[in-house]
């Protein structure tokens, strides 16, 4: 069982700042060389390639990176770019074919609203939340994934907060009921007693009965796919910040304890905790998501010893990742920042590459810690 380290912030801070500066350089170059292009994963370190997308869900992450750069650098060039990339996404607020509207709009139009206070930007986020709620299946009580009406994904826990947001901003009780019901169904069907999670739940669409756990991106239906676990940890924590329901906090804590306990030293997770020796490559993106989710959870938990453990774990992950082994400082040909991520191992897509959500959540975690150090 791995334990978080006690990380020296004075030692970590310059590496956080160096990594942030590297982001500004790499992503400034990306949008300069490939304007209006939303990549998902690299091939051979290159963002633009002809590889399969599986599903197109990442546009909010590039936009969110531009907002993080603006919020720290405070130069209008970044704001112009972030606003421009937001506008390219506006039409997606009505997209009923995807379950990723939270990923897209909480990282694009929500920061735009927060920066400007412009109510028209908030309206786009609210509409996206209302659109996502249309995926709710009365029979079964869940938001279905893009796969089809029978499918619930653990990833949706990162998207359901946009429905809580829309419910809060509109006072619409029905939206609140839908979002809460989805969380309880997810907990009951694909969060396991030990805190691990399945990627997918399959339901009988006629009766709403839960049939079985399943996976697309993990090793097997029963296995411990680490990115899904990180989505659950972070998602249930965010949901708790809306609901104040101890059931949501308890799931996030169970996920967090399980994630930390099963990680190797340094807390960079393999792509699936059950992957056999010889096939246990890291998924740095899982740990980047976990770092940001653990940092948040340290603030939310009511237990001081847990808070300390989660904060140390988040810092341990950043301490490990902000290094030559993971950041492309010494590889000018590599177009991403965070190396050694995994997209879709069973399909062989984006394996040992940079992935856009890894880039986003690593930067988000770095910005949170730098803000704390700077007293912002
Ligand atoms: N299905 C979203 C992910 O790759 O985590």
């Amino acid at each position: 069982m791995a334990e978080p380290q006690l990380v020296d912030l004075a030692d970590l801070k310059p590496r956080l700042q160096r990594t942030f500066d590297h982001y500004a350089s790499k992503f400034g170059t990306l949008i300069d060389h490939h304007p209006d292009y939303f990549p998902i994963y690299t091939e051979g370190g290159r963002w633009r390639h002809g590889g399969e997308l599986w599903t197109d869900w990442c546009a909010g992450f590039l936009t969110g990176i531009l907002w993080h750069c603006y919020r720290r650098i405070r130069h209008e060039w970044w704001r112009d770019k972030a606003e421009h990339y937001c506008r390219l996404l506006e039409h997606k607020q009505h997209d009923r074919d995807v379950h990723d509207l939270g990923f897209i709009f909480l990282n694009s139009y929500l920061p735009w609203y927060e920066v400007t206070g412009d109510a028209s930007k908030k309206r786009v986020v609210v509409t996206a939340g209302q659109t996502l709620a249309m995926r709710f299946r009365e029979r079964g009580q869940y938001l279905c994934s893009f796969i089809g009406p029978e499918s619930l994904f653990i990833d949706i826990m990162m998207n359901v907060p946009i429905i809580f947001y829309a419910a809060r901003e509109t006072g619409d009780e029905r939206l609140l009921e839908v979002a809460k019901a989805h969380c309880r169904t997810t907990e009951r069907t694909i969060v396991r007693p030990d805190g691990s999670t399945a990627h997918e739940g399959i339901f009988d669409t006629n009766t709403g009965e839960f049939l079985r756990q399943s996976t697309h991106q993990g090793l097997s239906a029963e296995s411990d796919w680490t990115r899904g676990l990180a989505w659950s940890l972070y998602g249930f924590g965010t949901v708790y910040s809306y609901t104040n329901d101890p059931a949501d906090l308890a799931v996030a804590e169970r996920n967090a304890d399980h994630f930390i306990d099963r990680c190797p030293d340094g807390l960079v997770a393999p792509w699936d905790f059950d992957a056999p020796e010889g096939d246990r490559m890291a998924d740095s993106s899982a740990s980047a998501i976990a770092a940001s989710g653990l940092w948040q959870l340290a603030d939310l938990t009511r237990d001081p010893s847990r808070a300390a453990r989660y904060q140390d774990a988040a810092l341990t992950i950043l301490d490990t990742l902000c290094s030559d082994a993971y950041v492309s400082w010494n590889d000018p040909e590599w177009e991403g920042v965070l190396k050694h991520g995994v997209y879709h191992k069973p399909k062989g897509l984006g394996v040992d590459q940079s992935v856009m959500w890894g880039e986003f959540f690593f930067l988000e975690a770095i910005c949170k810690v730098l803000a704390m150090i700077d007293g912002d």
Side-chain angles (χ1 to χ4, degrees):
M1 181 191 293
E3 273 308 315
Q5 305 148 21
L6 277 180
V7 174
D8 179 356
L9 282 179
D11 171 64
L12 181 59
K13 183 181 172 185
R15 280 181 291 129
L16 295 176
Q17 186 60 51
R18 185 179 173 203
T19 308
F20 178 87
D21 294 343
H22 193 54
Y23 265 95
S25 163
K26 287 287 183 190
F27 280 89
T29 303
L30 170 67
I31 61 176
D32 196 33
H33 288 184
H34 302 292
D36 300 355
Y37 177 62
F38 291 99
I40 295 185
Y41 62 94
T42 62
E43 266 186 18
R46 306 268 171 189
W47 285 120
R48 194 152 199 157
H49 52 76
E52 188 192 334
L53 301 180
W54 191 48
T55 156
D56 185 3
W57 57 290
C58 291
F61 299 134
L62 174 57
T63 315
I65 287 169
L66 303 178
W67 280 121
H68 278 305
C69 287
Y70 171 65
R71 283 174 144 178
R72 194 156 175 87
I73 297 170
R74 289 274 156 202
H75 192 290
E76 291 307 304
W77 186 87
W78 288 104
R79 178 168 164 173
D80 287 348
K81 297 294 179 192
E83 292 186 2
H84 173 74
Y85 276 74
C86 279
R87 285 189 201 96
L88 298 177
L89 303 181
E90 186 168 345
H91 65 286
K92 288 181 183 279
Q93 67 187 296
H94 304 293
D95 187 348
R96 295 189 58 181
D97 292 334
V98 297
H99 62 245
D100 300 306
L101 295 179
F103 281 138
I104 294 169
F105 286 97
L106 295 175
N107 301 317
S108 57
Y109 273 79
L110 184 59
W112 196 358
Y113 170 61
E114 288 168 349
V115 164
T116 60
D118 175 350
S120 71
K121 307 302 175 285
K122 180 165 79 176
R123 268 199 301 281
V124 173
V125 185
V126 166
T127 301
Q130 291 165 330
T131 303
L132 182 61
M134 294 178 195
R135 303 191 73 76
F136 190 67
R137 305 283 307 173
E138 285 296 338
R139 291 187 184 158
Q141 299 281 295
Y142 59 94
L143 299 157
C144 62
S145 84
F146 81 98
I147 295 285
E150 73 287 0
S151 163
L152 171 162
F153 270 18
I154 196 66
D155 322 25
I156 298 174
M157 283 310 303
M158 288 293 282
N159 291 286
V160 72
I162 199 170
I163 303 182
F164 283 105
Y165 181 86
R168 190 183 69 196
E169 297 305 316
T170 60
D172 183 337
E173 286 292 325
R174 176 67 192 147
L175 287 176
L176 188 60
E177 277 170 28
V178 160
K180 284 180 171 177
H182 176 81
C183 297
R184 295 286 70 76
T185 305
T186 302
E187 178 187 5
R188 179 173 59 79
T189 58
I190 59 171
V191 180
R192 306 187 184 112
D194 68 357
S196 68
T197 55
H199 183 187
E200 187 182 35
I202 302 291
F203 291 73
D204 181 325
T205 51
N206 290 321
T207 63
E209 183 194 354
F210 173 66
L211 298 177
R212 64 181 183 280
Q213 298 184 347
S214 176
T215 197
H216 294 266
Q217 289 167 277
L219 183 70
S220 71
E222 300 76 32
S223 76
D224 208 348
W225 179 49
T226 56
R227 193 159 70 252
L229 176 60
W231 292 143
S232 185
L233 179 174
Y234 198 164
F236 272 101
T238 305
V239 165
Y240 174 68
S241 70
Y242 284 97
T243 63
N244 220 21
D245 181 343
D248 295 318
L249 179 61
V251 178
E253 290 178 344
R254 202 146 38 98
N255 295 149
D257 294 341
H258 184 84
F259 186 90
I260 296 167
D261 290 350
R262 284 209 79 183
C263 266
D265 288 344
L267 303 187
V268 177
W271 70 279
D272 190 307
F273 282 131
D274 294 328
E277 285 308 324
D279 191 25
R280 279 179 81 76
M281 66 185 45
D283 179 4
S284 58
S285 77
S287 287
I289 297 158
S292 199
L294 286 162
W295 189 261
Q296 169 178 261
L297 196 54
D299 259 351
L300 296 172
T301 184
R302 296 158 185 200
D303 173 349
S305 68
R306 275 207 151 93
R309 187 168 191 247
Y310 297 158
Q311 180 162 328
D312 287 346
L315 292 173
T316 298
I317 292 170
L318 293 181
D319 189 47
T320 308
L321 293 184
C322 290
S323 68
D324 292 349
Y326 287 95
V327 177
S328 63
W329 293 320
N330 301 324
D331 190 349
E333 299 301 312
W334 194 276
E335 293 177 353
V337 170
L338 179 63
K339 292 178 146 186
H340 308 305
V342 174
Y343 177 24
H344 199 308
K345 181 73 170 50
K347 280 181 175 280
L349 303 176
V351 176
D352 198 16
Q353 294 295 319
S354 293
V355 294
M356 198 49 79
W357 56 95
E359 302 286 41
F360 174 78
F361 287 103
F362 185 33
L363 180 60
E364 182 185 78
I366 287 168
C367 288
K368 286 176 182 176
V369 177
L370 281 172
M372 182 274 292
I373 293 171
D374 295 344
D376 288 350

